[in-house]
Amino acid sequence: MSDTNFAQRLTETLGPDVVTTAPDDVAPWLSDWRGLYKGQAQAVIRPRTTEQVAQALALCQQAGVPVVPRGGNTGLCGGAAPDGNQTNVVLSLDRMDKIRSIDTIANTMVVEAGCILGNLRRAAEDADRLFPLSLAAEDSCQIGGNLATNAGGVNVVRYGMTRELVLGVEAVLPNGEIFHGLRTLRKDNTGYDLKQLLIGSEGTLGIITAAALRLLPRADSRAVVLAAVESPKQALELFSLLFARCGARLQAYEFFTGACLDLVLTHVEGIHAPFAERYPAYVLVEIADTAPEDVLNALLESVIGDALEQGLCLDAAVSASLAQLQSLWRLREEISEAQRADGLHLKHDVSLPIEAIPDFMTSMETRLAARHPGVRPFIFGHFGDGNLHYNLSRPLGADPKWALNEGKAVSEDVLEEVARYDGSISAEHGIGQLKRESFLALKDPLELRLMRAIKQVFDPSGIMNPGKLL
Ligand SMILES: Cc1cc2nc3c(=O)[nH]c(=O)nc-3n(C[C@H](O)[C@H](O)[C@H](O)COP(=O)(O)OP(=O)(O)OC[C@H]3O[C@@H](n4cnc5c(N)ncnc54)[C@H](O)[C@@H]3O)c2cc1C
């Protein structure tokens, strides 16, 4: 039952423009982006300041009310959707969206947690700098959500995950205390790095209210090649050559199978086959730099020429214009849309030690053929980071609800195989509600024990995002 006295106290303290309790106004805040989860909440809190977040959390802790932090709600594991407890409150950061400062000497930027990622990337660009975190949801997700999930995206091979781009964090702990960790220092070896515990904590330790971020030089010149490869093993060898020859300029190394390309050509309009022949798999490589574009193109052409000569790829198409660069990227970017058009399917966002990818893919194929014959794999992803989207669609002619009926058993097989190769069952999307059961079953017991101990220190009353992660 919702607690009227609590909601009243919250409204009196924070004001009716910050606290919403009318069921019709609360309803839009109860489900996740994919529509997989829908929960309950007695109120939505939309603070404008860190102090208001602190007041809200202190009241929630006193009353034992669960708090569900909410960013842009683009998370893919149900982390920002409340569970079925009617006393939940959803705390949205959407009104805390200011850029507090940009410093082009220290190359740092201080932003509030509710700042939309695309907006802060554009603000950095206006100051002639780059904030390199980039993902397809960037015009909806918030930087606080990116920190809370330690988001990845397409440029990790060059710039690392979110945690590598953060210098400082301001956060509110469940008891209302403010963690003043908003430092912009590059070097600070004074004990445990507590901000790193908050990054990737999926709202289970506290509310991130602001972040100090690293800025980099803009690398506006880009060159792209699509290379056809025989196998994941060949993709690995080609990666090694490109890494050695292009160094830090290598900023994307994306892989997709021939089946993914066929799916895109079937379901997406305005896409043309990149080569006269079809090949088993492809890699899309992007290099970028501050140097002029012709220097980059010459470098890429020379490396790919050598790769063809050494038998490290079967065919290659280098972009000669921005339009060609964009159409090569579309082949990769449209895979999710094409798979959606093909019907309900199973998604697995996994990572592996990069050198294990070829063996993993072979043993996965054997396991699927033996246990789930006819299943259609559509495998693509950020190969350079060891990250595969190992997606599976129903056998041809099977019930369209196959993913709902058979999904659990099939996914268990995939995740067990990932664990066997010392991989991760969640490369960049987090755990949330979706992967909690597998996470608890497969994570090392010592690591789980340490995580529970950390949770206990930050959130002894267990009000932060219950039912997620741990
Ligand atoms: C089309 C699409 C493409 C995507 N591509 C990628 C990709 O390439 N790489 C990738 O990593 N992800 C990707 N994602 C997933 C998603 O965009 C990221 O996980 C993103 O970081 C979530 O940010 P958000 O603001 O939407 O957070 P939300 O979905 O609102 O929340 C995510 C989690 O963080 C918590 N949280 C949110 N804000 C705070 C805060 N201020 N303090 C504490 N906890 C908080 C929530 O409680 C929840 O547990 C994609 C999603 C979509 C829809």
Side-chain angles (χ1 to χ4, degrees):
M1 282 291 283
S2 66
D3 173 354
T4 339
N5 289 340
F6 170 76
Q8 208 174 334
R9 219 161 43 245
L10 203 59
T11 310
E12 279 165 12
T13 310
L14 294 167
D17 67 320
V18 173
V19 180
T20 304
T21 54
D24 284 351
D25 298 331
V26 171
W29 301 86
L30 300 178
S31 37
D32 70 314
W33 185 83
R34 288 172 75 188
L36 295 177
Y37 300 98
K38 188 167 177 2
Q40 303 278 338
Q42 60 172 317
V44 177
I45 310 175
R46 296 173 66 203
R48 294 179 200 280
T49 63
T50 303
E51 289 67 31
Q52 284 183 339
V53 175
Q55 284 177 312
L57 287 197
L59 284 174
C60 289
Q61 172 154 293
Q62 277 161 24
V65 165
V67 180
V68 183
R70 173 96 152 195
N73 196 33
T74 65
L76 297 173
C77 298
D83 63 13
N85 184 340
Q86 287 182 315
T87 66
N88 287 321
V89 298
V90 173
L91 192 147
S92 166
L93 280 299
D94 64 333
R95 285 171 170 169
M96 292 182 59
D97 62 351
K98 287 187 212 59
I99 292 173
R100 292 191 189 163
S101 63
I102 297 185
D103 182 335
T104 53
I105 303 288
N107 293 311
T108 58
M109 176 178 205
V110 177
V111 295
E112 291 183 349
C115 197
I116 300 283
L117 174 60
N119 292 346
L120 75 86
R121 275 173 56 86
R122 283 183 281 276
E125 249 174 63
D126 290 345
D128 201 23
R129 293 292 181 273
L130 170 74
F131 182 65
L133 179 65
S134 173
L135 34 135
E138 67 193 40
D139 283 321
S140 306
C141 64
Q142 300 174 4
I143 190 68
N146 301 144
L147 264 70
T149 54
N150 184 30
V154 289
N155 295 335
V156 173
V157 72
R158 178 172 191 171
Y159 298 106
M161 302 281 279
T162 298
R163 67 168 78 252
E164 286 158 80
L165 302 170
V166 179
L167 296 168
V169 165
E170 177 191 87
V172 179
L173 303 185
N175 65 2
E177 273 183 293
I178 299 174
F179 171 80
H180 294 286
L182 209 51
R183 288 178 283 266
T184 53
L185 301 172
R186 303 275 158 157
K187 294 186 152 187
D188 179 17
N189 275 350
T190 52
Y192 304 137
D193 192 347
L194 297 172
K195 70 171 181 297
Q196 290 294 354
L197 291 177
L198 290 156
I199 299 172
S201 64
E202 301 189 44
T204 62
L205 299 182
I207 303 267
I208 296 165
T209 49
L213 307 172
R214 285 175 58 205
L215 294 180
L216 289 113
R218 281 173 66 163
D220 288 346
S221 303
R222 296 159 72 197
V224 161
V225 61
L226 182 76
V229 290
E230 199 163 46
S231 62
K233 185 166 175 292
Q234 203 174 48
L236 199 57
E237 288 161 358
L238 181 62
F239 176 69
S240 182
L241 177 78
L242 278 152
F243 186 79
R245 295 274 295 276
C246 301
R249 297 182 194 93
L250 181 63
Q251 71 171 20
Y253 193 85
E254 300 287 312
F255 171 90
F256 51 95
T257 58
C260 293
L261 178 64
D262 291 346
L263 202 67
V264 169
L265 294 172
T266 307
H267 290 289
V268 185
E269 277 182 26
I271 301 246
H272 305 289
F275 303 109
E277 260 184 74
R278 295 288 170 88
Y279 294 105
Y282 304 87
V283 292
L284 186 129
V285 182
E286 177 167 301
I287 61 173
D289 203 351
T290 48
E293 225 142 73
D294 50 349
V295 176
L296 277 192
N297 283 327
L299 172 67
L300 201 53
E301 275 167 19
S302 136
V303 182
I304 288 298
D306 290 351
L308 282 164
E309 233 169 66
Q310 292 170 31
L312 299 183
C313 60
L314 304 171
D315 206 344
V318 179
S319 65
S321 64
L322 182 63
Q324 274 182 11
L325 183 150
Q326 287 165 341
S327 58
L328 289 178
W329 260 112
R330 271 195 83 198
L331 300 173
R332 160 67 182 87
E333 285 168 344
E334 296 285 1
I335 298 170
S336 297
E337 186 50 34
Q339 207 179 11
R340 204 186 56 79
D342 183 66
L344 209 56
H345 57 275
L346 300 171
K347 288 186 194 293
H348 306 101
D349 166 44
V350 304
S351 72
L352 295 140
I354 185 167
E355 71 286 359
I357 291 180
D359 286 348
F360 165 79
M361 283 176 64
T362 308
S363 48
M364 214 42 255
E365 207 179 310
T366 312
R367 188 163 175 159
L368 287 175
R371 293 169 59 87
H372 311 284
V375 163
R376 292 173 300 143
F378 294 100
I379 307 161
F380 59 100
H382 316 301
F383 192 100
D385 316 323
N387 183 182
L388 294 182
H389 299 308
Y390 200 93
N391 292 357
L392 299 173
S393 291
R394 69 185 186 288
L396 287 173
D399 181 345
K401 292 202 173 133
W402 170 87
L404 297 177
N405 302 335
E406 310 280 326
K408 195 163 183 287
V410 180
S411 290
E412 270 171 17
D413 275 322
V414 176
L415 300 185
E416 269 174 27
E417 204 62 25
V418 168
R420 211 165 68 77
Y421 280 89
D422 257 342
S424 168
I425 62 163
S426 181
E428 55 177 17
H429 296 160
I431 301 296
Q433 311 187 47
L434 184 70
K435 298 184 186 162
R436 188 165 165 260
E437 216 178 290
S438 315
F439 167 70
L440 294 175
L442 295 169
K443 195 78 179 167
D444 181 277
L446 170 65
E447 290 181 50
L448 279 179
R449 204 172 77 224
L450 291 172
M451 286 188 200
R452 288 197 172 105
I454 290 166
K455 167 81 173 167
Q456 180 65 21
V457 170
F458 275 80
D459 181 25
S461 49
I463 60 164
M464 292 306 305
N465 219 0
K468 319 293 165 55
L469 190 60
L470 289 170

